[in-house]
Amino acid sequence: MDHSRLLTPDIIGIIACTDQYYGLGKNGKIPWRCPKDLSFFKNITNRSILIMGKNTYKEINEIRYGANPLLPNRTSIVVSTTLDHDDIQNACIAFSIDEAFHMALTFAQPEFSNIFFIGGSEIYRQSIKFINRIYLNNIAGDYDCDV
């Protein structure tokens, strides 16, 4: 692939929300529903490319309504070694974080080039080598997180 023609995104970031003890989740899910955090996420990631793990993809699918796109005005890439294209709707699939990142670079266009890693914990851990920003929201409360 000729990488010389790929856009360089201004933002390659992690976006996450934690409880007061910096917990991210419990049992593979986000244990809170916080409208302010969802609004923050929506505003920051609008017109961006999102990279997420299988559990994050599944959780987003559980809370969306009807036949709406997974995350409107965004391109979604799911990293999984166990899902296949038949398991994914309104998203692309990659088998590694590196493949997902390179896929995101090929999708980048002017005005639609920022890339965000949106979870889960393993995606965050593996994405550190790519990022130039972290957007961290913190909410009050102890949610007894395991991650």
Side-chain angles (χ1 to χ4, degrees):
M1 169 182 279
D2 179 10
H3 292 286
S4 64
R5 296 180 189 211
L6 299 178
L7 278 173
T8 302
D10 291 331
I11 299 171
I12 302 170
I14 284 174
I15 187 164
C17 183
T18 66
D19 72 6
Q20 70 185 28
Y21 296 108
Y22 300 99
L24 286 166
K26 182 171 179 131
N27 299 322
K29 296 186 180 278
I30 297 172
W32 54 80
R33 291 286 181 256
C34 178
K36 282 186 178 181
D37 177 55
L38 293 176
S39 179
F40 175 78
F41 177 89
K42 181 180 175 183
N43 290 333
I44 295 292
T45 65
N46 190 43
R47 300 192 51 77
S48 296
I49 301 160
L50 308 181
I51 298 173
M52 68 193 84
K54 173 180 66 177
N55 289 339
T56 300
Y57 169 80
K58 286 180 175 181
E59 184 168 8
I60 289 169
N61 262 332
E62 287 174 13
I63 62 174
R64 73 185 178 100
Y65 300 105
N68 295 328
L70 181 64
L71 292 163
N73 300 319
R74 294 156 188 85
T75 298
S76 298
I77 302 169
V78 180
V79 179
S80 174
T81 58
T82 59
L83 293 177
D84 62 36
H85 295 286
D86 294 336
D87 299 321
I88 301 289
Q89 296 177 356
N90 299 312
C92 299
I93 192 164
F95 297 102
S96 70
I97 196 84
D98 293 308
E99 181 185 4
F101 183 68
H102 290 291
M103 190 182 291
L105 289 174
T106 64
F107 293 160
Q109 307 168 23
E111 306 301 319
F112 203 96
S113 66
N114 295 330
I115 299 170
F116 289 96
F117 297 91
I118 67 168
S121 61
E122 187 63 22
I123 296 297
Y124 291 139
R125 188 185 68 73
Q126 292 182 32
S127 68
I128 294 294
K129 62 186 174 186
F130 301 117
I131 67 164
N132 60 20
R133 295 202 190 149
I134 296 175
Y135 293 85
L136 183 61
N137 211 359
N138 187 265
I139 62 169
D142 178 0
Y143 289 84
D144 192 32
C145 294
D146 55 19
V147 175

